Amino acid sequence: MAVSTTATAPLASLYVGDLHQDVTDAHLFDAFSEFKSLASVRVCRDSTTGRSLGYGYVNFISPQDASQAIEGKNHFSLNSKAIRVMLSHRDPGARRSGIGNVYVKNLSDSIDSVKLQEMFQKFGNVLSCKVVTSDDGKSKEYGFVQFESEISANAAIEKLDGSTVGGKKMYAGKFVKKSDRSLPSPEAKYTNLYIKNLDPGVTEEVLKEKFSEYGKIISLIISKDENGESRGFGFVNFENPDDARHAVEAMHGSRLGSQVIYVARAQKKAEREQMLHYQFDEKRKERVLKYQTSNVYVKNIGDDITDDQLREYFSQWGTITSAKLMRDDKGMSKGFGFVCFSTPEEAIKAVNTFHGSMFHQKPLYVAIAQRKEERQAQLLLKFSQVMRGFAGQSAVIPGRYSSLYYPVPGVSTQFAARPRPGMMYQPFGMRPGWGADGYANYSIPAFNASPFHLRARHVKYMPNGHSREMNDESDAVTSSEGSDTLSSMLAAAPLDQQKQILGEHLFPLVSQHKPDLAAKITGMLLEMDNSELLLLLESPDSLVTKVEEAVQVLKLKVSNQDAIHPNYLSAEVAVS
């Protein structure tokens, strides 16, 4: 979003962080509009999902206004969340170096970002300061202070580390990037051991007798509850690190009393949490990589099909690790399921081969499985691109200012196609056929201006996205045509008329659910593959689901208010 300017001097750019997910360019503009030299604003978004990345940039013509904006807007509440405002660092090396960055923890819950900055700014110029909070705004009792110089950071650490603030002893130290926080080396020396799975009958005397075989013990304890009963774990501290290591090697997994005990190096809480986080992240990454593109979604499955039949049918293209039909509480098939292959390549082959194929007299819909939120986010982004192509690169956002279009990062505008006559909107040019993400990759042909009439509703569907009532029933097309007849019509029709035919059948059905949005939603649905559209025409429940999904995309788009004029959407969406 930009304001017209003839200035040639370089702009003073500010970084705005900790933005609420719902903050848009318009919100950011309003927050800084009191400064006369405001040139442009931008909220950065993910190139795939279109979601806010939680930060953005505000550019000023006047450096003085930029300085005043930092003073006045830093920690300012925007959409009920405090934002951070600082000068933008164009040099990525300087941003990532960690120089001058201080990590602070064990903070009193009474310390917020403002108070933390007041505490540290006496040691030098503070560029950025934040106390990390949870979603409900409560302090997580740690934060970060970014100084302009390393000298100021070192001075603050020296004076404030270990000081008591708000009744708590505060820790302040140099910030270490996560990638540089190495896990303890297996060769690290240690003397303190942690033992768990202790039998309730094992006493400290028994434990000392058993472990003293490996060296001199300085201290030993078994943790007990308020009744003096063993909690099942304890600690043994050796004098010599080699003795401790030998004890771990010999005793871990051995039987003591009636239990097999666990013996390992004792870890501090922070170190143990770091290890658990690392293990969890590694397992999560492994699962994501394994199943990200190997899981196939299949629908329009016959009610009498079993898991074994589904597995057998898809096993032609690879090794299947699981095949499952979704069922309701009564055990009845829901008509869809999932087939997971051992490799992504096998899954893609299955999608390309079986999508649209006949399985027990029913055409299958097959695509790479996606989580619901991922699909909705991609639909939102896809619709954003379509509407931006429709609106052009200069759209007007409601309010007292005009804006310039900011392209979504990672999306090339050179593929945008000009809207064709007779169409509600024109999507970007794509290759024919279905992509691995389940989207139809073809360009919708231009509709012919051949309307049709409905006997029951007397509505005329126009491919340009409008409808009007009709009085002439002589040309009406009834809904008595079966799927076989429609399939035959499509097979006989030229490619440039097939979407027209499908649109004429879809429009009255969509109108029954969303009459005010029927033209828009029909146009959106026509981006889908013809075989998928035939399934929607055969399945009222599936059509309702798709219509509601389209409405949600429209609502999300309105709420974002990116670059779409509200007149592009109906009043039903805009006010709901």
Side-chain angles (χ1 to χ4, degrees):
M1 184 180 302
V3 176
S4 298
T5 176
T6 58
T8 57
L11 299 178
S13 183
L14 301 185
Y15 167 87
V16 184
D18 297 337
L19 292 177
H20 190 282
Q21 283 292 311
D22 296 337
V23 170
T24 64
D25 289 1
H27 293 138
L28 201 58
F29 187 97
D30 285 339
F32 287 84
S33 60
E34 64 193 75
F35 302 98
K36 295 182 179 180
S37 72
L38 177 62
S40 63
V41 302
R42 179 163 66 93
V43 174
C44 295
R45 299 185 178 277
D46 185 276
S47 61
T48 302
T49 66
R51 295 183 183 276
S52 170
L53 296 175
Y55 67 90
Y57 296 92
V58 179
N59 299 313
F60 293 90
I61 299 171
S62 166
Q64 289 77 19
D65 277 356
S67 298
Q68 291 176 12
I70 293 174
E71 294 177 6
K73 297 299 182 180
N74 192 26
H75 308 308
F76 169 78
S77 180
L78 184 58
N79 282 25
S80 303
K81 187 176 181 181
I83 62 175
R84 284 185 301 125
V85 183
M86 60 183 290
L87 283 172
S88 173
H89 288 286
R90 295 298 184 187
D91 179 9
R95 290 199 306 268
R96 299 167 185 166
S97 66
I99 294 175
N101 201 359
V102 178
Y103 170 63
V104 188
K105 69 176 182 178
N106 204 35
L107 293 171
S108 168
D109 54 14
S110 64
I111 302 296
D112 59 13
S113 297
V114 176
K115 292 180 180 178
L116 188 66
Q117 181 157 340
E118 291 174 352
M119 193 186 311
F120 278 80
Q121 65 186 7
K122 65 183 71 173
F123 300 98
N125 186 26
V126 175
L127 300 177
S128 174
C129 177
K130 69 176 289 185
V131 172
V132 179
T133 59
S134 57
D135 293 337
D136 57 3
K138 293 183 179 179
S139 170
K140 290 189 174 182
E141 301 185 353
Y142 72 91
F144 306 90
V145 181
Q146 175 69 61
F147 283 96
E148 188 175 24
S149 71
E150 185 75 1
I151 295 175
S152 299
N154 291 336
I157 292 171
E158 184 179 350
K159 292 292 185 181
L160 295 179
D161 182 38
S163 61
T164 301
V165 180
K168 298 187 72 172
K169 189 175 181 179
M170 182 176 66
Y171 166 85
K174 290 184 177 181
F175 169 74
V176 180
K177 292 187 294 183
K178 188 174 183 179
S179 58
D180 294 337
R181 300 174 206 162
S182 58
L183 293 170
S185 169
E187 304 301 322
K189 293 188 176 182
Y190 54 89
T191 59
N192 199 15
L193 304 184
Y194 169 67
I195 302 101
K196 68 176 182 178
N197 295 340
L198 290 174
D199 188 290
V202 173
T203 63
E204 291 180 351
E205 289 74 19
V206 172
L207 196 64
K208 185 173 184 178
E209 179 182 353
K210 192 67 178 176
F211 277 83
S212 60
E213 298 176 9
Y214 302 98
K216 184 179 179 180
I217 294 175
I218 296 177
S219 63
L220 179 149
I221 189 172
I222 292 178
S223 180
K224 296 181 174 62
D225 60 21
E226 60 275 8
N227 299 320
E229 300 292 331
S230 171
R231 293 175 182 261
F233 69 91
F235 300 88
V236 176
N237 191 16
F238 284 89
E239 182 180 55
N240 189 295
D242 291 336
D243 295 340
R245 182 168 56 82
H246 292 150
V248 171
E249 294 171 354
M251 294 298 296
H252 178 64
S254 66
R255 184 174 293 277
L256 184 59
S258 61
Q259 304 252 35
V260 174
I261 62 174
Y262 171 92
V263 183
R265 179 175 69 86
Q267 296 173 305
K268 294 179 180 179
K269 182 180 179 180
E271 188 180 334
R272 187 168 63 255
E273 289 178 348
Q274 181 186 356
M275 175 70 78
L276 291 173
H277 279 305
Y278 175 79
Q279 293 174 346
F280 175 79
D281 286 343
E282 288 300 307
K283 289 181 179 179
R284 181 181 59 82
K285 290 176 184 177
E286 183 180 345
R287 287 197 301 270
V288 169
L289 289 174
K290 184 176 181 181
Y291 299 113
Q292 188 172 30
T293 54
S294 300
N295 202 16
V296 173
Y297 170 66
V298 187
K299 73 174 180 178
N300 203 38
I301 303 172
D303 295 339
D304 57 343
I305 301 300
T306 65
D307 291 354
D308 291 339
Q309 288 175 308
L310 187 66
R311 175 188 288 268
E312 182 180 358
Y313 184 68
F314 277 85
S315 62
Q316 304 172 46
W317 282 109
T319 303
I320 296 176
T321 59
S322 66
K324 185 174 181 60
L325 288 167
M326 297 296 104
R327 301 183 181 276
D328 59 21
D329 297 337
K330 298 179 181 179
M332 300 295 292
S333 171
K334 291 185 177 181
F336 71 93
F338 298 90
V339 178
C340 190
F341 287 87
S342 60
T343 66
E345 291 76 18
E346 293 173 345
I348 292 172
K349 286 180 180 178
V351 170
N352 293 334
T353 302
F354 293 122
H355 177 65
S357 66
M358 299 298 294
F359 183 49
H360 288 248
Q361 282 96 35
K362 296 194 74 173
L364 291 180
Y365 169 81
V366 186
I368 298 297
Q370 290 179 299
R371 291 183 301 175
K372 182 178 179 180
E373 56 268 25
E374 290 177 347
R375 174 131 183 113
Q376 191 175 62
Q378 288 194 2
L379 284 171
L380 175 59
L381 180 64
K382 187 180 183 74
F383 185 64
S384 300
Q385 296 168 351
V386 169
M387 294 304 288
R388 280 174 177 149
F390 175 61
Q393 292 194 348
S394 181
V396 178
I397 293 182
R400 61 187 180 278
Y401 56 89
S402 63
S403 67
L404 296 179
Y405 166 62
Y406 271 80
V408 177
V411 177
S412 175
T413 58
Q414 64 180 336
F415 297 109
R418 181 174 298 174
R420 298 184 185 177
M423 292 187 63
M424 187 182 75
Y425 56 80
Q426 170 65 29
F428 295 105
M430 300 179 186
R431 293 177 300 170
W434 274 84
D437 60 355
Y439 288 109
N441 290 339
Y442 54 80
S443 295
I444 299 177
F447 288 118
N448 294 327
S450 56
F452 76 99
H453 310 271
L454 293 178
R455 188 185 306 275
R457 297 181 56 84
H458 309 296
V459 175
K460 181 177 180 179
Y461 170 65
M462 298 298 293
N464 62 4
H466 300 285
S467 60
R468 62 184 177 89
E469 293 193 1
M470 296 292 296
N471 295 319
D472 183 8
E473 297 185 5
S474 61
D475 297 328
V477 177
T478 67
S479 59
S480 61
E481 295 170 321
S483 59
D484 292 340
T485 304
L486 180 57
S487 298
S488 300
M489 290 173 60
L490 289 176
L495 289 176
D496 60 352
Q497 294 181 15
Q498 291 179 4
K499 290 295 179 183
Q500 175 73 26
I501 294 171
L502 288 167
E504 291 171 351
H505 284 76
L506 275 172
F507 180 75
L509 299 177
V510 175
S511 297
Q512 295 175 16
H513 303 287
K514 296 292 178 182
D516 294 337
L517 295 172
K520 267 187 191 64
I521 293 175
T522 301
M524 295 172 70
L525 295 179
L526 287 175
E527 286 195 37
M528 299 166 60
D529 186 69
N530 287 0
S531 60
E532 173 75 348
L533 292 173
L534 286 172
L535 297 180
L536 292 184
L537 290 170
E538 292 179 6
S539 173
D541 291 341
S542 297
L543 179 61
V544 170
T545 300
K546 282 293 181 185
V547 169
E548 291 302 324
E549 190 177 71
V551 172
Q552 290 303 314
V553 170
L554 289 169
K555 286 181 178 179
L556 286 170
K557 192 59 197 173
V558 171
S559 66
N560 283 345
Q561 291 291 340
D562 249 341
I564 301 180
H565 193 283
N567 290 340
Y568 291 139
L569 306 180
S570 74
E572 176 183 344
V573 175
V575 301
S576 58

